[in-house]
Amino acid sequence: MEYGRFPAYRARRMRADETVRQFIRETELSVRDFIYPLFVKPGKGLRDEISSMPGVHQLSLDMLKPEMDELLGLGVRSVLLFGLPSHKDECGSEAYDDHGIVQEAVRVIRAEAPDMHIITDVCMCEYTSHGHCGKLTEAGEVDNDATLEWLAAEAVSHARAGAHMVAPSDMMDGRVAHMRRALDQAGFSQVPIMSYSTKYASGFYGPFRDAADSTPAFGDRRAYQMDPANAQEGVREAAYDIAEGADLVMVKPALSYLDVLRRVKSELRFPTVAYNVSGEYSMVKAAAANGWIDEKRVVLELLTSMKRAGADMIITYHAKEAARWLAEGN
C-alpha cells in the first residue's frame, strides 16, 4: 500500500491526547507575542470603561501605574499608546506638543514601570477638530505632503518624551521616509518605526472611534486607507514602507485579512504585526455575553490564527485575558 493511504496512515493517532498533540503542534501562541493598546486622557482618578469595548478603559495618568503593574504581572511587556487630548484644533497641535497627553503618559510609564516597552501611535485624527488624519486643503481633502511635517514633529516629540518605538497609522504616502529622516536628524536613530503599512478602510474600527473620540466630522477615510478588495496592493504598501526605512510592518485589521497577512510575511520576509482591532474584539465580547460562544476558546483560536498566518506580534485588546488563559494552560 502506498505511503499516506488509509489504513497505513491514521492521522488520529497523533491526536489521541494532549501530550501527543503538543508533540506536533506547529504554532505556539505566547504572552510574549502581545502588545496591549492603551487609551490615556486628561484628569485624575479616571478609569472609564468604553461602552462598546467591555473591559477596556480610558485612563488618566495617575491610573497608569496600577495598569502597568497588572500588565507586567501577566507577562505583557509592551503597550501601544493612544491619546485623548485636552483640546482639539484644525492643526491637531497637541499631537506634537511636548506636554501633550501621550508625551506625558510616556514619561509616567518610563518613571513608574521602566520594564514596559512603549510604542506610540502617530496620527492626527484624535487631535484634529475635523477628525481626519492630517491637514485639510480648502476643498476639504487631506493634504498628504503638508501632513508629513506634522507627523514627523509628532514622532520626534514622542521620542523626546521617551517612547521606545513609534507607529505611524495615518496612511500618508512617504511618511515613513519623512519620519525616519526627522528622527535621525533629532538624534533618535535608535528609535524603530512600526508602520501601519497595510491598513484597510474597514468597518471593524467602529468601537475604536468611541475609545479614541476620532470619528471624522465629515466624509470618511477611504481616500487614504486601503480598499478591502485589494491584496496585492497591501503587499506593495508594506514593501514601500520597508524601502523607506520601516523596521516592522503591520496588517490591520487582522481577522478578515489573514490572507494578506500571510502574503506580506511570506513574500517580504520581514517582521510583521497583526492588529486584532476593536470591532473584532467587540464582536467576541457581545457573542460571549449572550452565551453564544466559549470566549476563552474563541479568543485563543483567533489569536492563534493570526500567529499561524505569519504575525510575529499581535496588537490585541484581549491581551490580559489571553495572558491569564495561557498561564492556566489551554
Side-chain angles (χ1 to χ4, degrees):
M1 183 172 290
E2 294 181 26
Y3 174 77
R5 295 287 185 88
F6 177 82
Y9 179 71
R10 291 181 178 266
R12 288 182 56 188
R13 281 196 288 257
M14 297 305 292
R15 301 171 191 160
D17 59 56
E18 183 58 21
T19 299
V20 173
R21 289 191 292 271
Q22 288 181 2
F23 284 156
I24 63 167
R25 186 159 294 155
E26 299 172 21
T27 305
E28 290 289 343
L29 187 66
S30 166
V31 67
R32 295 186 299 275
D33 302 325
F34 301 150
I35 300 168
Y36 186 63
L38 207 61
F39 300 94
V40 291
K41 66 192 300 184
K44 288 189 176 180
L46 301 178
R47 183 179 171 82
D48 298 335
E49 188 170 40
I50 300 156
S51 60
S52 56
M53 300 177 69
V56 179
H57 300 80
Q58 298 167 338
L59 304 172
S60 55
L61 298 179
D62 58 317
M63 300 300 288
L64 286 174
K65 179 150 192 333
E67 188 77 4
M68 295 303 104
D69 290 344
E70 180 185 8
L71 288 166
L72 289 169
L74 291 168
V76 179
R77 305 184 68 83
S78 185
V79 292
L80 175 61
L81 287 183
F82 297 92
L84 285 78
S86 56
H87 74 281
K88 302 187 180 196
D89 55 38
E90 287 196 3
C91 299
S93 58
E94 193 170 319
Y96 40 86
D97 184 336
D98 279 348
H99 296 287
I101 187 65
V102 165
Q103 290 85 340
E104 295 295 352
V106 170
R107 294 186 185 98
V108 169
I109 296 171
R110 289 283 294 218
E112 299 190 351
D115 292 332
M116 182 61 74
H117 184 268
I118 308 165
I119 308 169
T120 57
D121 179 81
V122 177
C123 196
M124 302 302 302
C125 60
E126 296 125 276
Y127 304 94
T128 54
S129 52
H130 47 74
H132 279 283
C133 296
K135 184 175 183 179
L136 296 184
T137 65
E138 290 184 3
E141 299 174 349
V142 176
D143 185 330
N144 188 99
D145 293 4
T147 298
L148 300 183
E149 297 296 332
W150 290 359
L151 296 168
E154 184 179 3
V156 170
S157 181
H158 289 179
R160 194 156 46 231
H164 297 100
M165 182 182 294
V166 294
S169 62
D170 54 283
M171 288 300 286
M172 298 297 113
D173 294 336
R175 89 272 206 210
V176 172
H178 205 81
M179 198 172 292
R180 184 71 273 160
R181 277 195 302 272
L183 287 166
D184 291 353
Q185 289 169 4
F188 298 111
S189 59
Q190 79 283 5
V191 174
I193 296 174
M194 174 195 289
S195 174
Y196 287 65
S197 57
T198 308
K199 181 179 178 181
Y200 289 88
S202 171
F204 285 99
Y205 302 151
F208 175 89
R209 291 172 183 170
D210 291 339
D213 189 23
S214 61
T215 303
F218 62 89
D220 55 41
R221 298 184 177 125
R222 296 183 199 187
Y224 40 102
Q225 294 177 359
M226 288 180 51
D227 185 338
N230 295 354
Q232 183 58 48
E233 182 186 9
V235 179
R236 195 160 60 241
E237 283 276 16
Y240 289 152
D241 283 2
I242 293 168
E244 289 183 22
D247 299 280
L248 306 94
V249 293
M250 183 193 301
V251 175
K252 178 184 180 184
L255 187 55
S256 291
Y257 299 88
L258 293 177
D259 60 319
V260 180
L261 177 61
R262 166 51 62 194
R263 290 186 61 178
V264 167
K265 184 62 179 179
S266 61
E267 293 181 30
L268 302 180
R269 298 180 181 275
F270 204 74
T272 304
V273 184
Y275 198 142
N276 177 211
V277 300
S278 60
E280 298 166 350
Y281 174 88
S282 296
M283 287 193 305
V284 169
K285 284 293 182 182
N290 280 281
W292 297 336
I293 60 171
D294 178 334
E295 183 176 6
K296 172 182 175 180
R297 186 173 179 180
V298 167
V299 167
L300 294 179
E301 187 174 340
L302 292 178
L303 296 176
T304 299
S305 77
M306 296 165 200
K307 188 78 183 289
R308 190 182 64 239
D312 298 293
M313 290 142 284
I314 303 170
I315 301 167
T316 178
Y317 303 95
H318 293 292
K320 291 181 183 179
E321 296 160 315
R324 291 188 184 99
W325 292 328
L326 289 172
E328 295 167 359
N330 61 83

